[in-house]
Amino acid sequence: MEKPLATTQRLPKYLAYLKIRQKQGIESISTSRIAEDLNMAAISVRKDLARISNAGRPKTGYPMDALIADLERFLGYGNARDAFLVGAGRLGQALMGYAQFAEYGLSILAGFDIDPALIGSEIDGKPILPLEKLPGLARRMQVKVGILTVPEDAAQETFALMVESGIRAVWNFTAIPLSAPPGVVLQNENLAASFAVLSKRLAATFDEEGVSGEVPCGTFAPPNEKREGGHQS
Amino acid sequence: MEKPLATTQRLPKYLAYLKIRQKQGIESISTSRIAEDLNMAAISVRKDLARISNAGRPKTGYPMDALIADLERFLGYGNARDAFLVGAGRLGQALMGYAQFAEYGLSILAGFDIDPALIGSEIDGKPILPLEKLPGLARRMQVKVGILTVPEDAAQETFALMVESGIRAVWNFTAIPLSAPPGVVLQNENLAASFAVLSKRLAATFDEEGVSGEVPCGTFAPPNEKREGGHQS
DNA sequence: ATCATATCGATAAATTTTTATCGATATGAT
DNA sequence: ATCATATCGATAAAAATTTATCGATATGAT
């Protein structure tokens, strides 16, 4: 029960899926069903869920409510994380307005920027404040999570400022390699990297299957146990 | 030489780093140096790079230009990928304006939307067009890559439309689980999933190290061989 | 009540990924 | 020219992850 790192990345996906199903009024669900809808191997889903819940029962699967509760507890979504976002440009604004986050335990309280044109405005009811107010507010409000969406040439110093302000986890959307001092969690969200994987997979598909003609578009995939689609993200 | 999947995700990171170094005028670089700056295990970098280049030489490392060239060739960045983006809301606009993409082989030609207020406007010189023009344009221009940034309730049908339009690779930014028909590459970019990992790591840090006081902020990490930071993205 | 079956959960095998070890070699110093 | 050394590249070991196998059990049908 030590290091289910790869698993952790898949859990929110299950949660997102389950919430959709829940809204549809479904009250229990089996791992095989989840797997089919998510284009994953059933065995894989079973293993992942077994790790965080034992509410599963033969024949019926998991009770929807219990499974969602267990997932949320494991992911720590009960105690929502307050966050500050620095760099309220287009990407920053997009993240501030990303409704999904609220549902998954992330609450962006405010954005910070140095652009006078942005300061004072609001995104989804969240204020954009002058950067110099960050240290004071972060300390006072005990905000531990920071989102870094500044231009590249400001990344380094902004990161340092965030750490000095007491922020302990930084979600870095810039392409600049940063170094986190001990005790500070740094996670790089490299969109270019994701695209590279997509591009590589597309190339592989062309090479292996040849440039074929049309492909029919179904909404659901055939219920094979083994699927190569539905990559992690 | 078959399946370096995990590796592929790291390669663009090296590329981003190398380009920065190149701008600084550095002409050759060792894997140990890369590893240090990127907070990775040196052995890991060596293995990754050995896979895609053999320009490395003892004592000096890799010639910068050759290494970058090999990386770009492997990642297929020579032949830039043209893409259409569907759903020009805040997130869509942010991606359309994301300058980094151009440098890494992704070229978003246009955005599509159904909102009359958006149609006709431009983001970074790229037009936002009415959705009904997507199928015709995608076919005519042979665009194979699509970026899906529509609201959740439109995800399913929009995805189907993209596939019908001949798009073969879809980068899905919605939380809706989609099923790709055979021959279509679907990659889910789940920001909530990324955040979950960050959140979990932060929680782990608190648990293990206790809630300690201040942390000094250095710009570079100590040159340890083994680092647990600098996660994948 | 009995039985066939879908599903879980545990154990084990296979695969992939990471980390380690070590010899070969080009570089720069003596 | 010789030598010490940093670094690559290959091979091997270790660790993590995925996939497979199989018995146990609750459910719903007969």
Side-chain angles (χ1 to χ4, degrees):
Chain A
M1 212 170 282
E2 265 297 344
K3 283 179 156 191
L5 181 59
T7 296
T8 304
Q9 296 181 287
R10 286 189 298 264
L11 295 181
K13 241 165 127 173
Y14 301 136
L15 184 54
Y17 165 80
L18 292 171
K19 286 191 172 176
I20 291 169
R21 289 304 224 180
Q22 190 182 41
K23 275 182 200 158
Q24 294 170 351
I26 294 172
E27 301 202 339
S28 72
I29 193 157
S30 69
T31 54
S32 35
R33 188 48 181 290
I34 297 172
E36 184 178 334
D37 289 349
L38 259 44
N39 291 315
M40 302 176 64
I43 184 80
S44 179
V45 178
R46 196 146 69 233
K47 190 104 181 299
D48 285 345
L49 295 187
R51 206 171 250 301
I52 57 103
S53 176
N54 58 344
R57 294 196 311 176
K59 190 79 177 183
T60 52
Y62 287 83
M64 185 67 78
D65 295 344
L67 182 52
I68 288 179
D70 283 340
L71 266 170
E72 290 188 330
R73 183 165 337 108
F74 181 87
L75 290 171
Y77 287 179
N79 34 334
R81 298 243 181 239
D82 291 337
F84 280 161
L85 179 145
V86 184
R90 255 192 300 243
L91 180 57
Q93 288 181 27
L95 296 180
M96 286 177 74
Y98 197 49
Q100 247 55 49
F101 284 150
E103 202 169 339
Y104 296 100
L106 172 60
S107 173
I108 301 176
L109 301 179
F112 294 84
D113 209 298
I114 56 170
D115 183 352
L118 292 173
I119 294 168
S121 62
E122 286 191 352
I123 302 290
D124 257 38
K126 296 154 192 165
I128 298 178
L129 307 172
L131 182 57
E132 57 263 33
K133 292 205 173 172
L134 174 65
L137 279 175
R139 288 207 185 286
R140 184 138 47 85
M141 301 179 71
Q142 295 278 318
V143 172
K144 296 301 179 197
V145 176
I147 303 174
L148 185 60
T149 49
V150 298
E152 298 211 339
D153 48 8
Q156 192 81 252
E157 61 176 326
T158 306
F159 176 64
L161 178 67
M162 292 167 93
V163 173
E164 282 165 22
S165 302
I167 284 174
R168 302 288 289 271
V170 174
W171 198 4
N172 174 31
F173 280 81
T174 79
I176 301 293
L178 301 170
S179 302
V184 173
V185 174
L186 171 65
Q187 178 146 327
N188 297 304
E189 190 70 35
N190 198 335
L191 292 178
S194 278
F195 173 71
V197 175
L198 176 72
S199 181
K200 208 78 191 104
R201 287 175 62 203
L202 179 59
T205 303
F206 266 79
D207 290 354
E208 285 163 23
E209 304 186 3
V211 182
S212 64
E214 256 345 84
V215 178
C217 177
T219 298
F220 271 70
N224 292 337
E225 177 78 355
K226 234 178 178 176
R227 283 281 291 156
E228 82 291 339
H231 242 251
Q232 94 292 30
S233 49
Chain B
M1 215 170 282
E2 266 296 344
K3 283 178 156 193
L5 181 60
T7 295
T8 303
Q9 295 181 289
R10 286 189 297 264
L11 295 180
K13 240 166 129 176
Y14 301 138
L15 185 53
Y17 165 81
L18 291 170
K19 286 190 171 176
I20 292 170
R21 288 305 225 179
Q22 192 183 39
K23 275 183 200 155
Q24 294 171 351
I26 293 172
E27 302 200 339
S28 72
I29 195 158
S30 68
T31 54
S32 35
R33 187 48 182 288
I34 297 172
E36 183 180 334
D37 289 349
L38 259 46
N39 292 315
M40 303 177 62
I43 184 80
S44 179
V45 178
R46 195 146 70 232
K47 189 106 180 301
D48 286 344
L49 295 186
R51 207 171 247 301
I52 55 103
S53 175
N54 58 345
R57 295 194 311 176
K59 191 78 177 181
T60 52
Y62 288 83
M64 184 68 78
D65 295 344
L67 182 52
I68 288 179
D70 283 339
L71 266 170
E72 291 188 330
R73 183 169 334 110
F74 181 88
L75 290 171
Y77 287 178
N79 34 335
R81 300 243 181 239
D82 291 337
F84 279 161
L85 179 145
V86 184
R90 255 192 300 242
L91 180 57
Q93 288 180 29
L95 295 179
M96 287 176 74
Y98 196 50
Q100 247 55 51
F101 284 151
E103 201 171 340
Y104 295 101
L106 172 60
S107 173
I108 301 176
L109 302 179
F112 295 84
D113 209 299
I114 55 170
D115 182 353
L118 292 173
I119 294 169
S121 61
E122 287 190 351
I123 302 290
D124 257 38
K126 297 155 192 164
I128 298 178
L129 306 171
L131 183 57
E132 56 264 31
K133 293 205 172 173
L134 174 65
L137 279 176
R139 288 206 184 287
R140 184 139 49 85
M141 301 179 73
Q142 295 278 316
V143 172
K144 298 298 179 198
V145 176
I147 302 174
L148 184 60
T149 49
V150 299
E152 298 212 340
D153 49 7
Q156 193 81 252
E157 60 177 327
T158 307
F159 176 62
L161 178 66
M162 291 167 93
V163 174
E164 281 164 24
S165 303
I167 284 175
R168 302 288 289 273
V170 174
W171 198 4
N172 174 30
F173 281 81
T174 79
I176 301 294
L178 302 170
S179 302
V184 173
V185 174
L186 171 65
Q187 177 147 326
N188 297 303
E189 190 70 35
N190 197 334
L191 291 178
S194 278
F195 172 71
V197 175
L198 175 72
S199 181
K200 208 80 190 97
R201 287 175 63 203
L202 178 60
T205 302
F206 266 79
D207 290 355
E208 286 163 19
E209 303 188 2
V211 182
S212 64
E214 256 345 84
V215 180
C217 176
T219 299
F220 273 68
N224 292 338
E225 177 78 356
K226 234 177 177 175
R227 282 282 291 157
E228 84 291 341
H231 242 249
Q232 96 289 34
S233 46

